[in-house]
């Protein structure tokens, strides 16, 4: 069951809901540091000689009142010997600043509150280990606001009040700053049953006021103002007995800062923490108190450096509790974390490395990670290792969710890019040559399949196929086939002919399904035709394709591919004969076949609704190239039918491309190829094909389509632009020979054209 975080529900709920919606909880980082080894590195001058650790901080937020001090949470957990820690805070001149311990938690960190330094900006916290608990400061004006402390087990008001009485406070509890006032509907640091809570906050009055305070809670609660108990509502109960503000009392307060301590415990069932008030002049619904708001806050300090006395340094991990959201594609949710680090910088003499189990490492400053499991229970460790001449220090935290994060979608490019980056980061974290996906869950594989789009998963698939091929073979066939088809598209973009042919051969050899083996024979023909531009080799391969064609869809495809070979060789009449045969076979079996060496994109996940074909024909007709050569090979009535059909297909593909609906555009191109393969001899189909391949960056296939268009027509409204586009693609491919051939052809066909000067410049020696 996913746990959804609810906002505190006060007597006047709407106002609190609005306030809660404006604020997100801020979680400081909790980390565990493990020191490794000592060296003879030069030691820094320390103002506190007995300290084992120094933390340099910068004030990033001023306190609302000097008595609320500046708070910093320092990485904790096994860093220092001894059971307790003693802080000593100094300003930039080495002067000691008043300070106190807010909490000392092995999991959540070491919280220190200190007086704002005189320069208002920097301070250093020295930490000394101690075998016994440090004494509470004899007299201090400082206290933190607003902070939430939660302790699981043996829930009672006594446990809640003991967290405040002890020093260091809240031993064994989880804690953090709290931006939701004195209230919550969940335990933000653990299970929602059997926990005790202490919240400390503050408010400031400009003048003397008589205020009514009350508590609404489930179960028991008690609160105090300036250390004096105002009202106690102990025992096991629901909110009903205090829902109208009857559990409280009036308090007369003078101007200035005032402290609130609220204690609560929860056994089972629903839970609620809610302190309300009614102040002079406050207008509320039905005259009832409303949630306490406008609380004052302590300042905040950011850690800039953590140094050991022997010269080693440590970093601070950020983002381990600030989950971005979750995706639910398969069996379990995948929770997305965006991790980064601070307080340390990699250099020639200092390395910073992320470490994940088992034996995964990543050396970049930020990394995204997808953790599979129920957000309420996941706890996945991550370590930051910092190494310099003095030695190695490790900082370890757990990626956790204290409540269910928001559900995320894959509906936009940026959404899909975010998840692809996370998967790619996870793959790169596995050292070579180890299999990078050996420990992936079914949910990770399902997410990858969901993300796949034409020509848009290259780096991920290269890692998977080069290092995880054996694991891929264990995946379900339908899943593996999709990955293979996307991988071949990736290889096309690399334009490494031998690598492409080698992988086609390997995938064919590894395949056990005869229909799938036939698909790889077809892919080899297409590679020679459309990628390598070797029609002679394609003609040899198409013979094998025809010989192995058994099923009706295979014989239809073999005829279609024979037509493609003849078209590439300039034998248009022979091509038309094969295309007619392929078309007749397609119509006789009345179903879509796999064609063009492409995927059959039937059932592809649509990212957006495409416009109906009837609405797009008129929009694209003005941009549609004229068709000439095909007309000379058809009867007049057939030509009319094909003209209407091709216009509709061209317009639909143009519309899909405009909507970034690439799977749909490729599928429509495949449908067109099957339904009327003779259209491949006209201007419409090759131009549509070129536009599709240009949209995914496959320059070689785009050039092939444009060259076919150029060779198949004598003159058309789009021919000059098509030839110019072909030259631009060839320039990116650095094919100088063909560029000059096309430029010369252009000058001959279009004397006096505005592009003529540019073409002559291309032809100049």
């Amino acid at each position: 069951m996913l746990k959804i975080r609810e906002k505190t529900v006060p007597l006047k709920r709407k106002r609190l809901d609005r306030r809660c919606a404006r604020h997100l909880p801020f979680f400081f980082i909790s980390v565990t540091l493990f020191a490794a080894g000592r060296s003879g590195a030069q030691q820094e001058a320390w103002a506190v000689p007995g300290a084992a650790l120094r933390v340099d901080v910068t004030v990033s937020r001023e306190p609302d009142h000097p008595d609320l001090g500046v708070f910093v949470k320092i990485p904790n957990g096994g860093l220092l010997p001894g059971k307790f820690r003693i802080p000593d805070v100094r300003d930039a001149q080495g002067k000691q600043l008043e300070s106190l311990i807010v909490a000392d938690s092995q999991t959540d960190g070491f919280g220190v509150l200190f007086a704002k330094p005189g320069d208002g900006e920097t301070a250093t916290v020295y930490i000394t280990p101690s075998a016994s608990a440090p004494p509470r400061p004899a007299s201090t004006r400082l206290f933190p606001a607003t902070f939430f402390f939660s302790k699981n087990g043996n829930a009672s008001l006594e446990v809640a009040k003991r967290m405040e009485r002890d020093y260091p406070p809240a031993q064994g509890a989880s804690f953090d700053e709290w931006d939701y006032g004195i209230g919550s509907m969940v335990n933000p640091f653990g299970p929602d049953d059997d926990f005790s809570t202490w919240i400390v906050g503050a408010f400031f009055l400009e003048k003397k006021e008589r205020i009514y305070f009350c508590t609404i809670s489930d179960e028991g609660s008690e609160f105090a103002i300036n250390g004096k108990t105002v009202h106690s509502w102990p025992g096991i109960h629901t909110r009903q007995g205090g829902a109208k503000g009857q559990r409280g009392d009036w308090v007369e307060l003078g101007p200035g800062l005032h402290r609130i301590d609220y204690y609560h415990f929860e056994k089972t069932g629903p839970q609620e923490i809610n302190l309300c008030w009614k102040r002079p002049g406050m207008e509320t619904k039905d005259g009832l108190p409303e949630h306490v708001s406008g609380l004052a806050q302590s300042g905040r300090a950011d850690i800039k450096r953590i140094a050991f006395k022997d010269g080693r340094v440590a970093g601070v991990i950020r983002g381990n509790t600030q989950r971005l959201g979750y995706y639910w594609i398969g069996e379990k949710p995948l929770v997305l974390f965006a991790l980064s680090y601070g307080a340390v910088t990699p250099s020639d003499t200092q390395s910073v490395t992320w470490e994940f189990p088992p034996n995964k490492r990543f050396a970049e400053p930020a990394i995204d990670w997808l953790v599979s499991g129920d957000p309420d229970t996941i706890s996945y460790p991550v370590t930051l290792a910092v190494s310099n001449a003095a030695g190695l220090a490790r900082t370890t935290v757990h990626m956790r969710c204290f409540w269910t994060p928001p559900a995320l979608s894959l509906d936009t490019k940026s959404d899909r890019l975010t998840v692809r980056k996370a998967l790619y980061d996870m793959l790169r974290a596995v050292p070579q040559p180890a299999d990078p996906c050996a420990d992936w869950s079914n949910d990770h594989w399902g997410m990858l399949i969901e993300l796949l789009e034409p020509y848009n998963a290259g780096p991920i698939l290269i890692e998977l196929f080069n290092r995880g091929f054996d694991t891929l073979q264990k995946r379900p066939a339908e899943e593996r086939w999709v990955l293979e088809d996307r991988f071949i598209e990736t290889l096309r973009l690399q334009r490494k002919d031998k690598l492409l042919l080698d992988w086609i051969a390997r995938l064919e050899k590894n395949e056990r399904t005869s229909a799938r083996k036939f698909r790889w024979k077809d892919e080899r023909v297409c590679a020679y035709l459309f990628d390598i531009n070797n029609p002679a080799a394609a003609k040899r391969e198409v013979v094998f394709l025809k010989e192995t064609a058994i099923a009706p869809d295979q014989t239809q495809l073999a005829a279609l591919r024979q037509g493609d070979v003849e078209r590439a060789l300039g034998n248009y009449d022979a091509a038309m004969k094969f295309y007619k045969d392929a078309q007749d076979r397609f119509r006789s079996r009345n179903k879509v076949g796999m064609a063009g060496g492409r995927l059959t994109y039937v059932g592809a996940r649509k990212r957006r609704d495409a416009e109906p074909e009837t609405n797009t024909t008129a929009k694209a007709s003005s941009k549609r190239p004229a068709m000439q050569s095909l007309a000379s090979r058809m009867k007049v009535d057939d030509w009319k039918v094909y003209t209407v059909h091709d216009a509709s297909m061209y317009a639909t593909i143009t519309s899909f491309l405009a909507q970034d609906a690439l799977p749909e555009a490729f599928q429509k191109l495949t449908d067109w190829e099957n339904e009327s393969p003779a259209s491949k001899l006209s201007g419409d189909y090759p131009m549509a094909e070129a536009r599709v391949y240009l949209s995914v960056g496959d320059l070689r296939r785009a050039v092939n389509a444009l060259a076919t268009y150029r060779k198949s027509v004598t003159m058309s409204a789009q021919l000059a632009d098509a030839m110019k586009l072909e030259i631009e693609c060839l320039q990116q491919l650095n094919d100088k020979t063909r560029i000059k051939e096309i430029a010369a052809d252009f000058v001959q066909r279009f004397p006096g054209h505005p592009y003529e000067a540019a073409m002559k410049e291309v032809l100049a020696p």
Side-chain angles (χ1 to χ4, degrees), residues 413-468:
K413 266 188 174 182
S414 60
D415 293 334
R416 299 191 292 276
L417 181 62
T418 296
V419 183
R420 277 199 295 269
K421 179 185 180 303
L423 290 174
Y424 188 44
D425 285 351
M426 294 172 69
L427 291 175
R428 290 189 295 154
V430 179
Q432 295 189 16
D435 186 337
C437 51
D439 62 346
W440 272 21
S441 68
N442 287 333
D443 302 302
H444 289 100
W445 287 106
M447 174 62 78
L448 177 59
I449 297 297
E450 186 74 9
L451 284 172
L452 290 177
E453 295 176 299
Y455 288 86
N456 206 6
I460 294 177
L461 294 182
I462 289 173
E463 290 284 339
L464 284 179
F465 277 82
N466 284 339
R467 297 201 282 147

Side-chain angles (χ1 to χ4, degrees), residues 581-613:
D581 180 30
Q583 179 174 293
D584 292 343
R585 290 177 182 275
F586 173 77
R587 291 179 177 177
S588 67
R589 64 188 183 87
N590 194 29
K591 65 178 181 179
V592 175
M594 186 175 291
R598 309 180 190 90
L599 285 174
T600 298
Y601 287 95
V602 174
R605 183 178 185 270
K606 294 186 178 181
R607 306 300 181 188
R608 55 191 55 78
D609 293 331
E611 297 181 37
E613 295 181 24

